[in-house]
């Protein structure tokens, strides 16, 4: 394949409800979309970076900048481009994994459409639907939290993840356990809000039989997570700290985690995400697919990845209506607590032109 150019498109979608985490409150989602065009096919990728550098150092504007200045021009210099060739071509440029992941995803979609192969099949999926969990933000009060969880359980979600931070941890977990019972698959996500000095406090979560605690300590602190993991009964899962298959292997070997959240955008793409899946499977480490409030574009790819055999825990692959009133693709709809794995070539779907236009903030064409 030879790319003729790449379109960068910034869109903004209102969230159906504010989403509060330990790093901030979001009321809308700014997303950078990447559309790679060759002479006979186009492919779509969604960049998971957010508008502000609160979850990750990357943010929407840095991604657009590095894509237009360095990453897209580098692909223009590749002869016979395919998705496997993207990461090596971009390797000279340090970091910027979210930007790289979006560009690789667009090339992968274009390639698979040409070959007529669904992404799930390309990655090695073994299921045609995936069980779904939901990530529940920090609320103003415990009664409001219980109402939110009750609604999600009514809709069929198979697992609840509570966002936590100092001051919103043991009490909400206790309340959800008391109201919904011991059988509810329940986990928590701290988004780096604690330090090792909180180890004894976090051990107060142990009696609630959580599936896992996600990323209690800061991103760089693998050693701290290893020390914490030795003092907690709750399994430690890493999100922010896992940036590659190599870092996943290091985290596992150190004992920093016994579960891994795989977010393709955070690790540089779906091909690296599959390598993390493989590393974890070789170590008997269960994985699940994280989310970044994706539109239907990123969601389609995440659901394909979540259908691989090592994804033994429900992911943050919720239905479109958990995030947006109107998605930019045909919406993903929960059925019996599952989302269907798309069946068509590539992503198996594309943006709906009118819905896309409605939310577009700006576009830019980088000709090659
Ligand atoms: O830490 O998993 C996270 C959303 C944005 C940034 C980070 C995270 C999240 C979520 C929501 O927890 C996941 C989703 O439903 O997409
Ligand atoms: Mg997380």
């Amino acid at each position: 394949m030879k790319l003729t150019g790449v379109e960068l498109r910034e869109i903004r979608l209102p969230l159906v409800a504010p989403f509060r985490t330990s790093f901030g409150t979001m009321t809308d989602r700014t997303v950078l979309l990447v559309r790679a065009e060759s002479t006979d096919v186009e492919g779509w990728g969604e960049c998971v970076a957010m508008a502000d550098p609160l979850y990750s150092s990357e943010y929407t504007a840095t991604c657009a900048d590095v894509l237009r200045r360095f990453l897209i021009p580098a692909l223009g210099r590749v002869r016979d481009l395919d998705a496997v060739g993207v990461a090596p071509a971009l390797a000279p440029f340090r970091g910027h994994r979210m930007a790289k992941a979006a560009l690789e995803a667009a090339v992968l979609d274009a390639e698979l459409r040409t070959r007529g192969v669904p992404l799930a099949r390309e990655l090695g999926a073994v299921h045609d639907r995936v069980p779904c969990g939901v990530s529940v933000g920090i609320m103003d009060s415990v009664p409001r939290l219980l109402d939110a969880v009750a609604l999600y359980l009514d809709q069929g979600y198979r697992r609840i993840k509570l966002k936590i931070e100092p001051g919103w941890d043991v009490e909400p977990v206790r309340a959800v356990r008391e109201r919904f019972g011991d059988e509810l698959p329940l986990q928590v996500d701290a988004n780096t809000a604690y330090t090792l000095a909180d180890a004894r406090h976090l051990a107060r979560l142990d009696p609630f039989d959580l599936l896992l605690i996600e990323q209690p300590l800061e991103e760089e602190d693998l050693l701290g997570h290893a020390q914490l993991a030795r003092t907690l009964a709750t399994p430690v899962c890493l999100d922010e700290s896992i940036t590659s298959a190599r870092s996943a292997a290091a985290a596992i070997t150190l004992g920093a985690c016994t579960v891994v959240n795989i977010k393709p955008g955070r690790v540089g793409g779906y091909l690296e995400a599959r390598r993390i899946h493989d590393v974890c499977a070789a170590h008997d480490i269960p994985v699940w697919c994280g989310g970044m409030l994706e539109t239907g574009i990123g969601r389609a790819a995440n659901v394909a990845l979540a259908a691989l055999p090592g994804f033994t825990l429900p992911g943050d692959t919720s239905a479109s209506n958990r995030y947006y009133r109107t998605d930019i693709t045909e919406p993903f709809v929960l059925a019996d607590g599952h989302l269907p794995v798309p069946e068509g070539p590539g992503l198996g779907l594309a943006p709906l032109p009118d819905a896309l236009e409605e939310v577009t903030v700006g576009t830019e064409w980088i000709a090659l």
Side-chain angles (χ1 to χ4, degrees):
M1 159 168 47
K2 175 85 187 84
L3 293 185
T4 51
V6 175
E7 182 189 76
L8 300 180
R9 179 183 294 257
E10 188 178 319
I11 63 175
R12 191 169 309 139
L13 293 90
L15 291 169
V16 292
F19 183 60
R20 179 171 159 205
T21 69
S22 62
F23 60 80
T25 304
M26 295 170 69
T27 53
D28 55 33
R29 180 74 165 103
T30 296
V31 178
L32 183 67
L33 294 176
V34 175
R35 184 174 63 84
E37 205 177 280
S38 74
T39 40
D40 46 20
V41 70
E42 65 176 23
W44 290 88
E46 174 169 345
C47 183
V48 300
M50 299 193 287
D52 307 295
L54 300 175
Y55 166 82
S56 60
S57 60
E58 290 184 86
Y59 56 99
T60 313
T62 62
C63 290
D65 191 71
V66 76
L67 280 160
R68 82 166 68 83
R69 277 180 207 267
F70 300 105
L71 306 183
I72 293 168
L75 288 197
R77 296 189 287 272
V78 178
R79 254 183 287 161
D80 293 331
L81 180 68
D82 63 7
V84 167
V86 171
L90 304 184
F93 306 106
R94 307 271 163 168
H96 296 285
R97 289 185 168 89
M98 292 178 174
K100 290 174 177 176
L103 186 54
E104 185 194 80
V107 172
L108 183 55
D109 183 36
E111 178 192 329
L112 295 179
R113 283 177 202 270
T114 307
R115 288 165 41 202
V117 176
L119 177 60
R121 194 192 306 161
E122 176 75 7
L123 294 175
V126 296
H127 307 291
D128 59 9
R129 58 175 204 158
V130 299
C132 299
V134 59
S135 176
V136 185
I138 295 165
M139 304 269 165
D140 294 336
S141 69
V142 166
R144 288 208 179 172
L145 175 70
L146 295 177
D147 288 348
V149 171
L151 269 175
Y152 288 131
L153 292 177
D154 277 350
Q155 291 167 22
Y157 286 103
R158 296 298 172 104
R159 178 226 73 190
I160 296 292
K161 160 170 143 183
L162 302 182
K163 290 293 197 178
I164 59 167
E165 65 181 5
W168 181 266
D169 44 33
V170 178
E171 290 322 309
V173 166
R174 183 200 312 283
V176 168
R177 263 286 173 253
E178 277 175 6
R179 164 85 180 267
F180 300 103
D182 294 341
E183 298 305 305
L184 172 68
L186 182 63
Q187 63 193 55
V188 294
D189 185 1
N191 288 111
T192 76
Y194 296 87
T195 73
L196 252 195
D198 298 311
R200 276 165 44 143
H201 178 71
L202 291 173
R204 294 177 58 205
L205 293 169
D206 284 346
F208 301 107
D209 198 23
L210 300 176
L211 288 169
L212 57 91
I213 178 170
E214 182 179 348
Q215 198 71 41
L217 311 179
E218 72 174 71
E219 182 175 331
E220 295 78 12
D221 198 6
L222 282 189
L223 196 54
H225 281 101
Q227 291 176 286
L228 182 65
R230 284 199 290 273
T231 74
L232 299 183
T234 306
V236 172
C237 169
L238 291 176
D239 173 358
E240 284 89 329
S241 296
I242 304 296
T243 55
S244 63
R246 193 182 296 273
S247 70
I252 293 165
T253 304
L254 258 177
C257 64
T258 49
V259 186
V260 170
N261 167 340
I262 302 183
K263 283 182 187 164
R266 195 190 61 227
V267 303
Y270 286 87
L271 303 182
E272 186 71 7
R274 178 176 55 187
R275 286 190 281 272
I276 296 178
H277 163 273
D278 295 348
V279 164
C280 291
H283 287 86
D284 276 326
I285 294 286
V287 302
W288 54 281
C289 184
M292 291 288 285
L293 315 176
E294 284 88 348
T295 72
I297 294 297
R299 193 162 310 284
N302 285 353
V303 168
L305 179 72
L308 268 65
F311 285 78
T312 53
L313 292 167
D316 284 344
T317 47
S318 310
S320 296
N321 71 359
R322 180 257 173 270
Y323 311 93
Y324 307 114
R325 189 184 303 282
T326 313
D327 206 333
I328 59 167
T329 62
E330 292 294 343
F332 279 84
V333 179
L334 205 66
D336 190 27
H338 292 69
L339 287 186
V341 177
E343 290 178 336
L347 290 175
L349 48 65
L352 303 168
D354 291 346
L356 186 60
E357 223 35 69
E358 189 74 25
V359 294
T360 295
V361 177
T363 65
E364 178 179 352
W365 174 252
I366 294 132
L368 291 173

